[in-house]
Amino acid sequence: MRVTKLPVAPTSALKVLMVLVLALTMSACSWFGHKGDPLDTLPLPLLYARAHNDLIHSDYSAAEKAYQRLIARFPSGPFNEQAQLELAYAQYKNNKPDDAYSTINRFIKANPLNPHVDYAYYLRGLINFDRTAGVIERVFSSKQEGAQTRRDQGYNLKAFDDFSELSRRFPDSAYAADARQRMIYLRNVLAQFEINVAKFYLRNKAFVASADRAQYVIEHYQESPQAGDALAILCRSYLMLNQKDQAAQVRQVLALNYPDHPYLKDPKWPHTPSTLRKMIPFSGHY
């Protein structure tokens, strides 16, 4: 699902030429005792080659500095636009999501007709997509989805909107397929978050609130795997509110669409986890 490569780089031959000329230029500077930051004197093609070379060799801090100098010294033209895209990517890879988000937003606003604006929307989605995950989730990646569903969902919602806009505006983009896969993942994460909250309300006998959360999942995430759990929680909530007719109708829908759901055999589902279970890290209970 990981498709983060940058669009449009110089051709292979041109890249080789750029690197060779850059190397010769830097050597000449050392021969003649040139002082000062070469980023302030390099001509545009060589400055871009320097920044791009740092980027492809994963020296993101150096790449960021070089791109920023290029943008400041040459505030217009195709090199500037490409530098903005690659600067945002360098900041993203250098774990500077706020800077990367600001850079890519400026690019989208200033260059709505750029042939690579689809990548800009995709990168903006990636920035938000990765912001929710913390250090622990990155270390224990197999538990990441469970942890995600217990965090604030603001960035996940933004990422979903970014990927949705990319898919809607650029359905044939090279990044659209990956964006749609991420949207499915995010939809399920968002739905599970609502289910977790609904279960919490149900355990604490806030039955109107649990019914509202379950109804929200049914209305907004009906294609998610969590829709069955939402129907079960809604049925239980209605029963506890003494709305037996509504509960019977919801149970029929659950039995028709999810005949193997555990609630149909166990009317006390979901069970309240034990205190010990709640204390186990990454158990999914809180």
Side-chain angles (χ1 to χ4, degrees), residues 58-132:
S58 302
D59 190 348
Y60 301 119
S61 294
E64 180 180 0
K65 180 181 177 182
Y67 285 126
Q68 287 173 335
R69 292 303 302 137
L70 187 155
I71 292 167
R73 289 181 56 203
F74 306 97
S76 62
F79 273 102
N80 178 283
E81 294 179 10
Q82 183 65 20
Q84 289 182 56
L85 276 177
E86 296 185 18
L87 170 61
Y89 180 77
Q91 291 169 329
Y92 162 68
K93 295 293 288 184
N94 204 28
N95 198 28
K96 294 182 177 181
D98 291 336
D99 292 341
Y101 189 75
S102 295
T103 300
I104 207 64
N105 265 344
R106 286 195 299 270
F107 175 86
I108 291 172
K109 291 178 180 178
N111 307 283
L113 300 180
N114 184 280
H116 307 292
V117 73
D118 60 329
Y119 174 78
Y121 283 108
Y122 175 70
L123 180 56
R124 189 168 72 176
L126 285 181
I127 294 166
N128 284 319
F129 183 87
D130 287 347
R131 282 214 242 197
T132 306

Side-chain angles (χ1 to χ4, degrees), residues 129-142:
F129 183 87
D130 287 347
R131 282 214 242 197
T132 306
V135 174
I136 293 178
E137 288 93 324
R138 293 191 183 101
V139 174
F140 300 96
S141 58
S142 64

Side-chain angles (χ1 to χ4, degrees), residues 10 38 86 101 103 151 159-160 205 211 245 247 256:
E86 296 185 18
Y101 189 75
T103 300
R151 288 180 173 269
F160 187 92
K205 301 181 180 180
D245 290 342
L256 180 64

Side-chain angles (χ1 to χ4, degrees), residues 145 148-149 153 156 160 181-196 217 220-227:
E145 184 170 354
Q148 282 256 26
T149 62
Q153 299 300 302
N156 281 340
F160 187 92
Q181 289 183 5
R182 291 176 188 274
M183 287 173 65
I184 293 172
Y185 169 83
L186 288 168
R187 178 203 67 192
N188 295 344
V189 168
L190 292 166
Q192 187 60 53
F193 175 82
E194 298 294 335
I195 291 296
N196 290 346
V217 173
H220 293 86
Y221 307 118
Q222 57 182 287
E223 295 182 0
S224 70
Q226 290 78 13

Side-chain angles (χ1 to χ4, degrees), residues 40-61:
D40 293 329
T41 57
L42 282 175
L44 176 57
L46 295 183
L47 181 54
Y48 174 78
R50 168 74 173 268
H52 190 77
N53 188 61
D54 288 334
L55 183 65
I56 62 177
H57 287 91
S58 302
D59 190 348
Y60 301 119
S61 294

